Amino acid sequence: MDENKRGSFGSNIGFLLSAIGSAVGLGNIWGFPYKMGKSGGFTFLIIYLILAIFVGFAIMLSELAMGRKTGLGPVNAYKTLSKKFKWVGWLAIIAPFLIMTFYSVLGGYCIYYIVINIVGLFKGVPGAESFDALLTNPGMSILVTLGFMIICYLINLNGVGGGIEKFNKIGMPALFVMLVIVIIRAWTLPHAAEGLKFMFVPGYAVKGGFIDKAPGIMSVLATAGGQMFFSLSLAMGAMITYGSYLGKNENLPKNSVIIVISDTLVAIMAGLAVIPAAVANGIAKGMAVSEIKLGGPSLLFATLQDVFHGMGTIGGIFGFIFYALVLIAAISSAISLIEAVAVTFIDRASARGEEPSRPRTITLVCIVIFLLSCFVASDGLGSRPFAPWQFFGIGSEAAPWNDCWLDFMDTWSEGVAMPLGALLMSVMIGWEIKPKSLYDEIDNGYNGKIHGFYSFCIKYVCPIAMVFILLVQLSSFFGFGWFE
Ligand code: PHE
């Protein structure tokens, strides 16, 4: 195959596994389980699913259809579809670019934890203190970030069919099997049931002593909306890009449903593994459950490493399996982000009549991402002020948006560009180019009835939901506290 040509997926299953790979990421593992437990357990799940059906599904379907209709990545797809909205595509590549600057650091941490668990088999498995040691070691953080970027670089370099699809076809089933192993191990720990109750039983988060006060309904809606969006990889150009590589006969509505369901399933499964293990280990150590960190980076790299430490030498094996599965989840998301950025430049070159070079573009994109990720890696998620690089008051002001480099990058991508991009996308499709302009594409490979539902969602439900989600994200990232 000519490496300079635009690629394509070799099969629908290859596409599906890649899209699921993009959706399944750190958000599923450290975000969803804790948010679900804290925000009402089973009730949260229902709210999440309703949002996923009426908003997530419609936007997913729109992105895949936009990509496949135009055969182009985000920037050029918007340009082709609408004069007025052509600039929105840029939001859809700035966002993945910024996300990558910290996703790569977190992916690097996974590599580090894989290594220390293997070494731990011989020298004793380290515990939670290993995370502080890593955070305060910028050299090591940068090194593992570089390692992560090199892996992704090599995959993207090999193209869509030969790199992305191949990786996901092996990686996704492997992730699933590893997850099942970790769930079985977690459930056989004493006190694991407490963790399950926290995750599923409505009201148990307060009754069981995990949190003081149940969040209000606005806050639950807000949490579910933000989480759903990030977790499904929406408004990041990723699904437009993958859609543009998809064969014309494949069924877009069916694929969208499968992606949404699989992503939610893996998020619940991840919770079944991490929450019971973390809670069981905390209780066994005599901690109050409210003291156990059940979300975010410290869940992944401190709380859970402590669980492996508590298992003795054999913990090194489970640690290895667990961090390998998180690494696969991170890589499969990262390669979709890199691809969304790179395809823009590849398409632009073609549009100008130049010969696009995939290797050159991927190399440049990866180098720039790596350089920016050094900022994130060097301040250790805010635990280590790294003075010469602290512009924008980062580290000195305590507002959520600038308390460290990770939050700064996350604010502009997940907090602003992503919800704004999705809002503008639904307005563009619903009111400017009209839903019927995508019907042809949606009906290619599908012969059920969906026009009415789709057009209702994209015209009314999505814009309203997206204004709400945008306000929620602004409020939480800038610390306004509107929805508490
Ligand atoms: N969905 C990924 C996660 O849950 C993150 C991601 C967002 C990946 C957007 C690609 C695009 O972690």
Side-chain angles (χ1 to χ4, degrees):
M1 200 180 75
D2 182 350
E3 61 179 13
N4 289 331
K5 288 247 165 63
R6 242 177 158 276
S8 64
F9 287 107
S11 63
N12 194 55
I13 184 76
F15 157 76
L16 261 179
L17 290 171
S18 305
I20 294 170
S22 170
V24 170
L26 298 171
N28 299 57
I29 299 166
W30 83 31
F32 184 87
Y34 178 59
K35 289 178 190 169
M36 175 168 157
K38 200 182 68 173
S39 314
F42 204 72
T43 335
F44 176 86
L45 183 60
I46 307 281
I47 295 174
Y48 182 92
L49 286 173
I50 294 175
L51 278 170
I53 293 166
F54 287 95
V55 183
F57 168 77
I59 296 192
M60 174 78 68
L61 182 57
S62 307
E63 291 206 18
L64 294 178
M66 282 169 68
R68 192 170 69 174
K69 184 180 170 74
T70 56
L72 296 164
V75 171
N76 300 285
Y78 275 98
K79 221 187 235 165
T80 312
L81 290 170
S82 158
K83 286 227 156 51
K84 261 195 214 148
F85 286 79
K86 62 176 186 207
W87 54 277
V88 178
W90 286 103
L91 282 182
I93 75 152
I94 291 170
F97 179 75
L98 293 179
I99 294 240
M100 263 313 285
T101 62
F102 62 86
Y103 224 80
S104 56
V105 177
L106 300 166
Y109 289 173
C110 295
I111 298 180
Y112 179 81
Y113 274 86
I114 289 177
V115 174
I116 64 169
N117 277 288
I118 296 176
V119 174
L121 283 174
F122 306 99
K123 292 196 170 163
V125 179
E129 73 292 341
S130 56
F131 195 38
D132 273 339
L134 174 59
L135 289 179
T136 46
N137 186 346
M140 179 57 84
S141 301
I142 290 175
L143 187 72
V144 288
T145 304
L146 178 64
F148 182 81
M149 282 308 297
I150 291 176
I151 299 175
C152 296
Y153 168 72
L154 292 174
I155 297 172
N156 284 87
L157 195 63
N158 276 298
V160 185
I164 297 175
E165 182 170 354
K166 229 185 217 164
F167 175 80
N168 283 297
K169 268 178 142 170
I170 302 169
M172 284 301 111
L175 178 145
F176 196 82
V177 173
M178 291 193 269
L179 198 48
V180 173
I181 297 176
V182 184
I183 291 175
I184 295 173
R185 175 68 267 233
W187 283 22
T188 45
L189 293 170
H191 310 294
E194 271 305 287
L196 289 177
K197 283 193 214 153
F198 164 73
M199 235 186 106
F200 287 97
V201 180
Y204 197 76
V206 176
K207 218 188 300 158
F210 289 88
I211 53 171
D212 295 338
K213 205 170 123 260
I217 179 71
M218 277 320 238
S219 156
V220 172
L221 269 175
T223 311
Q227 173 66 23
M228 184 270 300
F229 232 67
F230 185 75
S231 189
L232 289 176
S233 301
L234 297 175
M236 283 281 167
M239 293 299 166
I240 300 183
T241 306
Y242 279 7
S244 77
Y245 297 141
L246 186 60
K248 280 285 181 197
N249 302 325
E250 309 300 353
N251 186 331
L252 296 185
K254 188 170 147 202
N255 279 327
S256 306
V257 171
I258 296 176
I259 300 168
V260 173
I261 292 178
S262 311
D263 183 62
T264 313
L265 196 72
V266 175
I268 296 173
M269 285 177 70
L272 294 179
V274 300
I275 302 277
V279 171
N281 184 59
I283 295 178
K285 286 180 78 173
M287 286 164 80
V289 286
S290 59
E291 284 167 33
I292 307 170
K293 294 205 173 90
L294 293 176
S298 25
L299 163 76
L300 262 194
F301 301 115
T303 314
L304 288 169
Q305 185 55 41
D306 203 50
V307 175
F308 303 125
H309 168 72
M311 290 177 184
T313 308
I314 190 83
I317 296 180
F318 285 104
F320 169 76
I321 296 177
F322 178 73
Y323 291 109
L325 92 81
V326 185
L327 178 64
I328 294 175
I331 294 175
S332 58
S333 296
I335 53 182
S336 74
L337 293 165
I338 295 173
E339 190 64 23
V341 179
V343 75
T344 299
F345 299 102
I346 294 176
D347 287 345
R348 269 166 83 89
S350 309
R352 280 201 217 102
E354 293 158 19
E355 180 77 349
S357 162
R358 182 176 185 92
R360 202 175 55 221
T361 313
I362 299 279
T363 309
L364 252 157
V365 168
C366 286
I367 289 178
V368 178
I369 290 174
F370 171 68
L371 291 177
L372 277 176
S373 66
C374 289
F375 289 62
V376 180
S378 62
D379 81 352
L381 314 187
S383 62
R384 187 178 188 287
F386 204 61
W389 287 358
Q390 306 304 49
F391 332 126
F392 315 112
I394 288 172
S396 53
E397 306 283 331
W401 71 277
N402 68 351
D403 59 357
C404 66
W405 273 107
L406 186 151
D407 286 340
F408 178 77
M409 300 295 194
D410 199 17
T411 297
W412 297 109
S413 49
E414 203 192 336
V416 180
M418 206 166 167
L420 190 61
L423 169 63
L424 292 166
M425 178 203 289
S426 50
V427 172
M428 176 186 88
I429 299 175
W431 302 94
E432 160 84 1
I433 64 170
K434 304 279 166 18
K436 63 174 184 305
S437 63
L438 291 180
Y439 287 168
D440 279 4
E441 202 51 53
I442 292 172
D443 293 342
N444 251 337
Y446 174 76
N447 50 22
K449 289 205 175 73
I450 196 155
H451 296 174
F453 175 73
Y454 173 70
S455 133
F456 171 71
C457 291
I458 206 79
K459 275 178 99 145
Y460 304 105
V461 188
C462 292
I464 296 171
M466 286 325 302
V467 169
F468 174 68
I469 294 175
L470 177 64
L471 292 176
V472 165
Q473 297 295 73
L474 293 178
S475 161
S476 79
F477 281 95
F478 290 96
F480 301 139
W482 294 334
F483 297 90
E484 264 131 46

